[in-house]
């Protein structure tokens, strides 16, 4: 058979082959998709994956629900995703990527199963933890999760739940809210291509008002290091009340004896920076040698409209301006001039009862502490 006659037959065979392949893919697409998703997901530690309510349209895949789970380090996790929409083109899909992923709700449960060996320091590579590194590994150009519900169960503390949203569109935007010791904590995190590379903001409020805010911005620093610029403001009375509830609650094990009787009223603020190398060791014991590579320069201002600590001081008023500098593992504290007035407990003077009676001293005596020069403590 001559070549001109052979070509039409070859074209027909090729066309029939394409049609047959298309029919097979269409009829078996859920199984093929699941196999492909499992192959991709295994690169991210996923061990189990199932989905249902699959609907197909040109360039769009919709799933009613996707369940997956796996193990990472000393943690097990399971996730349930509802109302999923994947937009794709075939070339990207065959490379293991999609154009966008939209999720109506993500429920994520994380359980800690083991703890690191005691006495071992954890080494953190800060650059590898930046969102830009994570974004480069995600097989989608855009990820939009409208609602996130996170449950975390640690081995030695009470479970923590949080809710919020996540969006990745070249940059990361996360919003989470949780309730801890009766107060609401909200956190927002944004990444940027230019400094600051990270922006973090924490706010805390109760039923009536916001009583503390904290913000930090991450900047690259010379010498393969990073610098956090930080600002904070708070209302001391509700913040201290929250710390007292936290100390006596089940969320964390915090020694409560030192603050359970303390009363402090007045606003406070903090500003400054902390600089650290990219490789950072985090020991799990009280090894202060880990502070050596850190540099800190912080300014603390505290207005005291009333300070009570039964058995020591009552009705103390004044203001303190303090700076803290940390360098080479050495901490230096400086206080500006101050003028504090209040009442001291006579029990602090260890005077016999007869002497106190002869001096006419009651349970409290007026006291004033004043300094016209800065004080330095190292």
């Amino acid at each position: 058979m001559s070549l001109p006659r052979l070509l039409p037959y070859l074209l027909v065979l090729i066309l029939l082959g394409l049609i047959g392949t298309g029919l097979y893919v269409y009829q078996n697409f859920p199984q093929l998709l699941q196999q492909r998703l499992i192959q991709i997901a295994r690169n991210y530690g996923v061990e189990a994956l199932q989905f249902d309510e699959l609907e197909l349209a040109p360039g769009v895949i919709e799933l009613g629900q996707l369940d997956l789970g796996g193990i990472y380090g000393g943690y097990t996790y399971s996730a349930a995703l509802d109302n999923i929409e994947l937009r794709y083109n075939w070339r990207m899909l065959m490379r293991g990527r999609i154009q966008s992923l939209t999720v109506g709700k993500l429920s994520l449960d994380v359980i800690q199963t083991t703890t690191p060996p005691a006495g071992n320091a954890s080494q953190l590579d800060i650059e590898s933890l930046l969102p830009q590194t994570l974004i480069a590994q995600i097989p989608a150009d855009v990820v939009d999760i409208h609602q996130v519900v996170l449950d975390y169960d640690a081995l030695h503390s009470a479970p923590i739940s949080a809710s919020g949203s996540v969006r990745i569109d070249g940059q990361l935007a996360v919003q989470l809210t949780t309730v801890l010791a009766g107060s609401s904590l909200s956190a927002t995190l944004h990444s940027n291509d230019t400094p600051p590379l990270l922006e973090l903001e924490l706010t805390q409020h109760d039923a009536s008002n916001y009583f503390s805010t904290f913000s930090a911005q991450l900047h690259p620093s010379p010498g393969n290091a990073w610098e956090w610029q930080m600002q904070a403001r708070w209302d001391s009375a509700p913040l201290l009340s929250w710390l007292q509830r936290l100390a006596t609650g089940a969320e964390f094990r915090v020694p409560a004896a030192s603050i359970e009787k303390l009363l402090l009223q007045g606003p406070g603020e903090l500003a400054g920076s902390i600089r650290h190398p990219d490789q950072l060791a985090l020991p799990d014991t009280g090894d202060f040698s880990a502070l050596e590579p850190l540099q800190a320069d912080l300014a603390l201002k505290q207005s005291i409209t009333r300070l009570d600590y039964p058995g020591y001081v009552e009705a103390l008023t004044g203001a303190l301006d303090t700076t803290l500098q940390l360098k080479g593992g050495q901490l230096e504290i400086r206080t500006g001039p101050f003028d504090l007035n209040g009442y001291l407990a006579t029990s602090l003077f260890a005077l016999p009862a007869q002497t106190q009676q002869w001096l006419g001293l009651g349970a409290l005596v007026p006291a004033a502490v004043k300094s016209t020069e800065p004080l330095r403590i190292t």
Side-chain angles (χ1 to χ4, degrees):
M1 180 179 295
S2 63
L3 182 60
R5 291 186 178 183
L6 181 60
L7 287 176
Y9 290 100
L10 292 176
L11 291 174
V12 171
L13 290 175
I14 292 172
L15 182 59
L16 290 175
L18 290 174
I19 293 174
T21 302
L23 290 173
Y24 174 81
V25 170
Y26 180 79
Q27 294 175 354
N28 298 276
F29 187 78
Q31 292 79 12
L32 296 174
L33 177 62
Q34 184 171 12
Q35 293 174 6
R36 182 55 179 159
L37 289 176
I38 290 175
Q39 292 174 357
I40 297 172
R42 282 176 178 169
N43 296 329
Y44 302 91
V46 176
E47 296 183 347
L49 185 150
Q50 292 183 338
F51 63 84
D52 56 21
E53 300 180 29
L54 175 65
E55 295 185 9
L56 305 177
V60 180
I61 301 173
E62 294 182 353
L63 297 173
Q65 183 171 346
L66 173 67
D67 298 317
L68 54 87
I71 299 175
Y72 183 81
Y75 302 87
T76 62
Y77 63 90
S78 61
L81 297 85
D82 299 324
N83 300 322
I84 308 160
E85 180 186 87
L86 299 93
R87 293 191 173 273
Y88 68 94
N89 61 53
W90 284 104
R91 291 183 179 179
M92 293 182 64
L93 191 61
M94 291 300 101
R95 297 198 311 268
R97 293 191 60 82
I98 59 175
Q99 292 174 313
S100 66
L101 168 64
T102 303
V103 179
K105 181 180 180 181
L106 165 62
S107 299
L108 177 62
D109 294 327
V110 180
I111 300 175
Q112 184 182 20
T113 56
T114 61
T115 56
N120 289 349
S122 301
Q123 190 76 19
L124 288 182
D125 183 347
I126 304 301
E127 186 171 4
S128 67
L129 298 177
L130 292 178
Q132 289 80 355
T133 303
L134 170 66
I135 292 171
Q137 298 174 350
I138 292 177
D141 292 343
V142 178
V143 176
D144 194 358
I145 306 177
H146 297 162
Q147 182 183 7
V148 175
V149 178
L150 172 64
D151 291 303
Y152 174 67
D153 191 357
L155 283 176
H156 304 298
S157 61
I160 298 176
S161 298
S163 61
S165 62
V166 176
R167 180 174 174 83
I168 299 174
D169 188 359
Q171 299 300 330
L172 175 67
V174 178
Q175 186 275 326
L176 288 175
T177 299
T178 187
V179 176
L180 187 62
S183 294
S184 295
L185 300 176
S186 298
T188 59
L189 178 68
H190 295 274
S191 67
N192 305 297
D193 285 330
T194 58
L197 300 182
L198 276 182
E199 295 180 272
L200 171 67
E201 182 174 355
L202 302 175
T203 59
Q204 188 175 13
H205 64 91
D206 53 23
S208 58
N209 65 309
Y210 287 85
F211 59 81
S212 72
T213 62
F214 171 84
S215 59
Q217 305 81 38
L218 180 64
H219 295 257
S221 185
N224 195 29
W226 301 95
E227 180 177 317
W228 291 93
Q229 297 179 359
M230 300 179 294
Q231 309 82 33
R233 293 178 180 271
W234 60 84
D235 185 355
S236 299
L239 179 59
L240 179 60
S241 178
W242 175 77
L243 290 173
Q244 290 168 339
R245 295 196 304 270
L246 184 66
T248 57
E251 288 86 352
F252 297 98
R253 297 182 178 180
V254 181
S258 59
I259 64 171
E260 62 181 353
K261 297 179 181 179
L262 179 63
L263 170 68
L264 176 61
Q265 297 175 346
E269 62 181 68
L270 178 143
S273 63
I274 295 178
R275 186 176 183 272
H276 57 78
D278 183 63
Q279 300 287 335
L280 190 61
L282 297 178
D284 59 354
T285 62
D287 182 8
F288 291 100
S289 63
L291 297 178
E292 292 185 3
L294 301 182
Q295 295 182 21
D297 191 352
L298 304 173
L300 171 67
K301 296 183 178 182
Q302 178 65 57
S303 176
I304 305 173
T305 57
R306 184 181 181 95
L307 171 63
D308 292 345
Y309 195 66
Y312 294 90
V313 63
E314 289 191 24
L316 185 71
T317 61
L320 289 174
D321 289 349
T322 307
T323 61
L324 297 88
Q325 291 183 331
L326 175 66
K327 187 174 183 180
Q330 298 295 317
L331 177 63
E332 179 180 286
I333 302 175
R334 291 176 179 265
T335 63
F338 58 85
D339 187 0
L340 303 177
N341 297 274
Y343 296 88
L344 293 179
T346 53
S347 59
L348 295 175
F349 305 114
L351 296 175
Q354 291 181 347
T355 303
Q356 293 186 33
Q357 185 177 5
W358 180 75
L359 293 173
L361 299 179
L364 298 170
V365 294
V369 181
K370 182 176 182 179
S371 173
T372 59
E373 299 293 333
L375 297 181
R376 177 183 174 186
I377 303 173
T378 58

